[in-house]
Amino acid sequence: MSGRVDVGAPPVVKRAGPEAVRGRAPSQLAWGRFRRDRVAVASVAVLVVIALFAVLAPLWAHLTGHPYDRTFPETGLDVAGQPRGPGAEFPLGADQLGRDVLVRAAYGTRVSLVVGVCAALLATVAGTVAGTVAGFAGGAVDAVLARLMDMTLALPYLLVAITLATTFRVSSAAAGLALTVLVIAFFSVAASGRVIRGQVIALRRREFIEASRALGASDARIMVVDVLPNLVAQVTVLTSLQIPAAIVFEATLSFLGAGVPPPVPSLGSMLGEGSDAFRSAWWLLAVPGALLLLVTLAFNLIGDGIRDALDPRGGGRAGRGR
Amino acid sequence: MSRGLPRYVLRRLLYSAAVLWLVSTLVFVFLHVSPVPVERVIGGPRATAETLAQIRANLGLDQPVLVQYWRFVGRLLSGDLGDSYISGTPVSALIAERLPTTLWLVFGAGVLWFAGGVGLGVFSASRARTLWDRAATAFVLVGLSTPPFVVALALLYVFATRLEESGVHLFEAGPPMQEHFLRRMVLPWAALAFLMLASYTRLTRGAMLDVLGEDYVRTARAKGLPERRVVLRHGLRPALAPVVTQAGIDLGALVGSTIVTEKVFGLQGVGQLVHQSIATGDTPVIIGVTLTVTLFVIAANLLVDIGYSVLDPRVRLG
């Protein structure tokens, strides 16, 4: 940025009034609008707290003396074999096997955040590349890419995702995490790809692109220098709204036993494994359920805030995110 | 418009056939690259190597992959989905047995969410920027952020556990479906509808706000029409087009995503069928259900596109 055009200090305009008008970049204006959005800022705060809770998972395990995968049949379960509720020994109760729900929830939130953010980033990057190439190239390339994206949208994604995740079942936690990220990203590429493609097609006919072309710029240069910077706002909004969607996707896969392999906990698998026991132990439903809801809600509110900040004219016009 | 319709439908049908072929091939390839060892599932843990080989031969799994694929496509073209590896029952019979449950689930939930979402959306849009509108928007955000199974589990906890203890009998689980049909379906309907309700409220509200800003709505108000009539006649009708479109697409797509709802409430629909089949490696059933469900998605999309062009003459089919 700084190396390109140095215009020096902004010219100070002398005015009659007490304050001078200073030029601000669009990103500064957007940041200013975002900062004044109380709901979005509060969501960021909530998310920071939850992220800290997740990052410090080993600390909770150390403090309670309960590793996430150890069962404590003596202290965690009562005489009838039912999990014990929240108390001094288990701050948020024990699960059906006598494991610490607090520690598992912290590790599970970690998985949710990592998978959600990675899958959303991967999907938006791939979607942006596919959408830009399709929209810019036009013709046969566009036809093939657009049809492929339509086809992945026609797939019964949950069904195919479970099939994929189950058949390629791996035992190591890291590989399982990577597989889950890939499966989720694969089914999210088309959604952002289509939006970007539409945007690029609209941009392609604009005068400044023609000007570049008239100056003899190559296709690649136009794409990178002229088109991509104009997509930044769109891509930011898409990413921020795809994160919560990816988190819900991961939770659903894990709930059905097709996500991150046990014993690594995920909020979804905690709910799935506890779904037989929660009738008598509400904390097995409440703790992971509330965390999941808070995380997705916070991301959605931040996404809405970013959209409003980047596009102040679009206020009140609701998109169709799901 | 009407002259181009047959050609358009024909082209869409060809495209749909291509999608179906692609989906079936994809699933076939997925399942053969790294198959769950189905002979283990059938033969049990103590089966000898000869027994396992015999089972593979019986299922035709000892043939080269291309031969298997050729047979698979040939059978598919004659409308035969094959037999289940595990039970030997024809896949079409299994699906026919389970499909009604899933269709009832989706249909009932669809009625609920459409009525509720459109109602709430109109309510919200006609009181834009008031406290009511804010409340509805907050509800929408919570609804959009809630993972499907959290709602289902919470409903199950409140209605099937807590209320059951206090003597209110609202929920029935397990077969047969014919007995106490409503009691079996009310909670699953509510759970599925709640999720969609939020996005339909948002969609209707957005469409209504767009339409209410149009010149002809101002004209209608200037004529002195009662507000109620302006909102419902001049506003809602054109605003409904995108909502109906979305409903068609979602109804088709939902047939494939009721797995979670079916699992939580113990409904024996196609979702449960495929979930169980994935665990046992019952390839023909997985492919059969996937194809059936894709068929619903494609049919819904086609109907929506055709219906849209009939509703709104400005839309050109192409």
Side-chain angles (χ1 to χ4, degrees), chain B residues 200-282:
Chain B
Y200 277 73
T201 306
R202 180 182 248 202
L203 195 65
T204 311
R205 179 179 178 274
M208 280 294 284
L209 283 181
D210 280 353
V211 172
L212 288 179
E214 295 273 352
D215 289 342
Y216 65 83
V217 171
R218 199 182 331 137
T219 310
R221 283 205 176 111
K223 280 197 304 189
L225 287 183
E227 184 64 18
R228 198 186 166 74
R229 198 179 155 84
V230 173
V231 169
L232 293 183
R233 267 302 257 296
H234 294 76
L236 183 58
R237 227 182 113 178
L240 222 45
V243 185
V244 171
T245 311
Q246 193 57 39
I249 293 170
D250 283 339
L251 279 174
L254 259 188
V255 176
S257 12
T258 55
I259 304 179
V260 173
T261 317
E262 287 178 16
K263 183 180 148 92
V264 171
F265 294 106
L267 290 171
Q268 295 298 318
V270 286
Q272 284 276 71
L273 177 65
V274 80
H275 193 213
Q276 287 146 8
S277 306
I278 289 169
T280 52
D282 200 344

Side-chain angles (χ1 to χ4, degrees), chain B residues 37-86:
Chain B
V38 65
E39 63 273 15
R40 271 270 167 235
V41 180
I42 300 174
R46 293 195 302 171
T48 59
E50 292 91 79
T51 321
L52 292 181
Q54 186 59 46
I55 294 172
R56 284 188 72 84
N58 286 347
L59 297 175
L61 291 174
D62 53 343
Q63 305 284 327
V65 172
L66 275 179
V67 175
Q68 287 188 46
Y69 181 69
W70 184 246
R71 285 185 184 165
F72 162 74
V73 172
R75 265 209 327 258
L76 215 57
L77 283 178
S78 60
D80 182 7
L81 290 172
D83 300 336
S84 158
Y85 282 168
I86 309 293

Side-chain angles (χ1 to χ4, degrees), chain A residues 65-202:
Chain A
H66 300 148
Y68 69 85
D69 53 354
R70 268 271 297 285
T71 59
F72 297 90
E74 286 85 29
T75 47
L77 304 176
D78 63 15
V79 216
Q82 293 294 320
R84 283 192 200 278
E89 179 71 18
F90 293 91
L92 290 177
D95 73 357
Q96 65 287 352
L97 298 176
R99 294 174 296 193
D100 194 314
V101 171
L102 171 84
V103 176
R104 287 180 67 75
Y107 278 97
T109 311
R110 222 162 139 165
V111 169
S112 285
L113 289 176
V114 168
V115 171
V117 173
C118 290
L121 282 179
L122 199 61
T124 2
V125 169
T128 307
V129 172
T132 312
V133 169
F136 197 79
V141 179
D142 180 33
V144 170
L145 278 175
R147 282 285 169 243
L148 274 178
M149 286 193 263
D150 281 353
M151 279 184 189
T152 50
L153 288 177
L155 285 176
Y157 67 91
L158 189 56
L159 232 156
V160 180
I162 303 173
T163 312
L164 264 176
T166 316
T167 45
F168 291 101
R169 166 113 299 181
V170 279
S171 46
S172 95
L177 218 61
L179 177 67
T180 313
V181 168
L182 281 178
V183 168
I184 296 174
F186 174 77
F187 285 100
S188 318
V189 168
S192 47
R194 291 223 304 192
V195 177
I196 297 295
R197 174 176 170 267
Q199 199 77 1
V200 172
I201 288 177

Side-chain angles (χ1 to χ4, degrees), chain B residues 1-5 8-9 11-12 304-318:
Chain B
M1 178 203 83
S2 51
R3 263 185 53 211
L5 199 59
Y8 173 74
V9 172
R11 216 171 62 212
R12 283 293 297 258
V304 160
D305 285 351
I306 294 173
Y308 206 61
S309 76
V310 173
L311 278 179
D312 190 341
R314 283 171 301 184
V315 176
R316 286 271 162 74
L317 295 175

Side-chain angles (χ1 to χ4, degrees), chain A:
Chain A
M1 267 299 270
S2 58
R4 274 180 66 196
V5 190
D6 194 9
V7 289
V12 181
V13 186
K14 291 269 186 226
R15 292 249 172 141
E19 74 242 35
V21 176
R22 267 184 44 221
R24 289 204 205 111
S27 59
Q28 286 172 308
L29 290 172
W31 171 237
R33 277 192 292 267
F34 186 82
R35 249 187 350 195
R36 279 195 301 276
D37 187 342
R38 268 179 298 172
V39 177
V41 172
S43 303
V44 172
V46 168
L47 213 53
V48 168
V49 171
I50 294 179
L52 269 179
F53 167 67
V55 169
L56 295 178
L59 180 67
W60 311 135
H62 179 75
L63 285 180
T64 53
H66 300 148
Y68 69 85
D69 53 354
R70 268 271 297 285
T71 59
F72 297 90
E74 286 85 29
T75 47
L77 304 176
D78 63 15
V79 216
Q82 293 294 320
R84 283 192 200 278
E89 179 71 18
F90 293 91
L92 290 177
D95 73 357
Q96 65 287 352
L97 298 176
R99 294 174 296 193
D100 194 314
V101 171
L102 171 84
V103 176
R104 287 180 67 75
Y107 278 97
T109 311
R110 222 162 139 165
V111 169
S112 285
L113 289 176
V114 168
V115 171
V117 173
C118 290
L121 282 179
L122 199 61
T124 2
V125 169
T128 307
V129 172
T132 312
V133 169
F136 197 79
V141 179
D142 180 33
V144 170
L145 278 175
R147 282 285 169 243
L148 274 178
M149 286 193 263
D150 281 353
M151 279 184 189
T152 50
L153 288 177
L155 285 176
Y157 67 91
L158 189 56
L159 232 156
V160 180
I162 303 173
T163 312
L164 264 176
T166 316
T167 45
F168 291 101
R169 166 113 299 181
V170 279
S171 46
S172 95
L177 218 61
L179 177 67
T180 313
V181 168
L182 281 178
V183 168
I184 296 174
F186 174 77
F187 285 100
S188 318
V189 168
S192 47
R194 291 223 304 192
V195 177
I196 297 295
R197 174 176 170 267
Q199 199 77 1
V200 172
I201 288 177
L203 278 173
R204 202 175 54 182
R205 306 204 188 93
R206 298 274 292 275
E207 290 84 353
F208 69 93
I209 303 277
E210 297 218 333
S212 269
R213 181 155 295 144
L215 286 171
S218 68
D219 280 355
R221 187 186 157 84
I222 294 178
M223 256 193 261
V224 174
V225 176
D226 297 320
V227 175
L228 276 182
N230 280 295
L231 295 175
V232 168
Q234 200 79 17
V235 170
T236 316
V237 173
L238 274 176
T239 316
S240 63
L241 291 175
Q242 259 189 357
I243 292 175
I247 289 177
V248 170
F249 201 155
E250 185 275 329
T252 310
L253 281 181
S254 297
F255 176 76
L256 293 169
V260 182
V264 177
S266 129
L267 294 177
S269 66
M270 286 175 73
L271 284 164
E273 288 163 18
S275 64
D276 293 325
F278 76 76
R279 284 164 184 248
S280 54
W282 54 267
W283 55 94
L284 294 184
L285 170 64
V287 174
L291 269 171
L292 207 50
L293 182 58
L294 270 179
V295 171
T296 45
L297 189 59
F299 269 119
N300 272 326
L301 289 171
I302 294 171
D304 281 358
I306 293 178
R307 189 180 48 205
D308 291 347
L310 288 174
D311 181 17
R313 283 164 306 161
R317 285 188 66 165
R320 66 151 288 252
R322 272 215 292 141

